[in-house]
Amino acid sequence: MESITKNRQSLDTLRAMVARAYGPDAVPDGDAWVEELGNGFFNVVYRITLANGRQVALKIAPPSDVEVLTYEIGAMRTELEALRLITAHTGVPVPVVDHADLLHDLVDVDYFFMPYIDGDNLGVLRDELGPSDLGTYQAALGAANRELNTILGPAYGPITAPTYPTWRAAFTAMFDDVLDDGRRRSVELGWSYDDVRAVLTVHEHLLDDVTEPRYVEWDLWEGNALVRDGEVVCIIDHERALFGDPLIEVGFAGLVSSAFGDSAAFLRGYGRGPLTESEEVRRRLYTLHVGLVMTIETVYRGHTDKDQYDWARECVDEVMTSLTRGRPAA
């Protein structure tokens, strides 16, 4: 996916980055040692073959002069903290950080190196899989997500600065931030911004049912899973992690919105039953929020293809209709 947030670098700069991370002897000759990996939607990621033949991946944050959504500011440092927490507290397979550079002298943004993981992206592979094999992978993602949610945080909010005393305070701040982002760039939602905010006001008391700040991956979908030989070998892209309500995980979205497909295999792997009435309304609020994010980010990322925008607008309309008329969204 093309995006103006992808911070591509020259070969000379990449050589300097490799030398700092792995030493001057690791810098390869020629120009055939680097390949951009194209599945990401936000950061640029390169596969690099070092002089000794070892393959690594380099992830670079967006250019400092490109405006991003409020919650995306400092996203790479969120990912680095997420990787630390996951490695320390779970057995979920995630990348090892070989070298993180936050100095901003070689490039004016954060970046980090990690080993290159040999695996297929499940989001790309899924159309080639039969229902049984796809369901097995989805169940494995559910089990991994449950393990991630066992990590407890000190408060609610971004994992680098969990400062909110309640989940209601944290989520309403997240919701208001994305609405402010949309207003700032005059993004058309299909509903007035005031009407969207009013829906949250009506239902936000239900957020107080959440009483533990748990680690939330939030973005654990098939496109962030690498698989090989029938197993999930790595979960990638952790820059959206926060401490909050596990029900906000995208794997649960299909329970209330047809736009996100069938959540049955994910739920089987996660090991939980149907939602209560309160949980269903909370999940609708979370689906509305992610629909807003995915609508508004298309403007910030300079998308020329309207597919995501149109899909996300339909998602917003579906959930807003259900929350304003009391009808199920799916």
Side-chain angles (χ1 to χ4, degrees), residues 13-223:
T13 300
L14 293 174
R15 288 189 184 96
M17 296 163 82
V18 169
R20 175 171 293 179
Y22 298 103
D25 292 343
V27 180
D29 295 324
D31 57 8
W33 47 272
V34 59
E35 173 191 3
E36 183 180 335
L37 302 177
N39 292 328
F41 291 82
F42 184 58
N43 303 291
V44 68
V45 181
Y46 294 104
R47 176 169 62 183
I48 290 174
T49 303
L50 302 179
N52 63 4
R54 180 189 174 203
Q55 291 193 326
V56 299
L58 166 63
K59 190 170 188 176
I60 307 173
S64 58
D65 60 349
V66 170
E67 186 180 23
V68 296
L69 298 181
T70 299
Y71 87 95
E72 294 174 323
I73 297 171
M76 185 159 287
R77 299 193 186 201
T78 297
E79 177 160 25
L80 291 169
E81 175 62 8
L83 291 171
R84 186 193 69 79
L85 286 170
I86 294 169
T87 301
H89 298 287
T90 79
V92 175
V94 296
V96 174
V97 177
D98 284 346
H99 175 82
D101 196 321
L102 313 179
L103 298 177
H104 296 188
D105 55 346
L106 295 180
V107 293
D108 64 349
V109 296
D110 300 339
Y111 67 88
F112 72 94
F113 285 89
M114 54 192 153
Y116 175 76
I117 307 298
D118 183 18
D120 294 313
N121 185 292
L122 183 57
V124 176
L125 186 65
R126 62 164 295 154
D127 291 340
E128 302 175 18
L129 298 172
S132 177
D133 289 338
L134 178 59
T136 297
Y137 283 130
Q138 290 171 332
L141 293 184
N145 214 152
R146 183 183 182 92
E147 187 173 355
L148 293 175
N149 295 155
T150 63
I151 303 172
L152 286 173
Y156 297 91
I159 62 171
T160 52
T163 57
Y164 295 95
T166 67
W167 175 233
R168 188 204 291 215
F171 182 73
T172 55
M174 292 166 55
F175 201 93
D176 287 341
D177 280 346
V178 75
L179 288 180
D180 288 344
D181 290 336
R183 288 190 187 96
R184 188 161 55 250
R185 300 289 289 270
S186 301
V187 182
E188 176 58 50
L189 302 178
W191 296 74
S192 78
Y193 280 78
D194 288 343
D195 285 346
V196 173
R197 185 58 178 83
V199 163
L200 177 60
T201 300
V202 169
H203 299 291
E204 66 182 33
H205 64 282
L206 297 174
L207 300 170
D208 290 334
D209 290 347
V210 180
T211 58
E212 288 185 317
R214 293 192 171 272
Y215 176 96
V216 172
E217 184 75 3
W218 191 27
D219 199 29
L220 183 47
W221 66 294
E222 292 151 7

Side-chain angles (χ1 to χ4, degrees), residues 246-268 270 272-276 279-284 287 318-319 322 328-330:
L247 196 58
I248 201 174
E249 299 284 19
V250 73
F252 295 115
L255 293 174
V256 301
S257 173
S258 58
F260 287 87
D262 188 351
S263 291
F266 178 89
L267 258 67
R268 184 173 69 251
Y270 194 94
R272 69 154 295 157
L275 303 183
T276 66
E279 288 173 336
E280 185 172 325
V281 176
R282 293 204 324 262
R283 183 55 250 186
R284 291 185 196 281
T287 302
E318 179 184 36
V319 183
S322 74

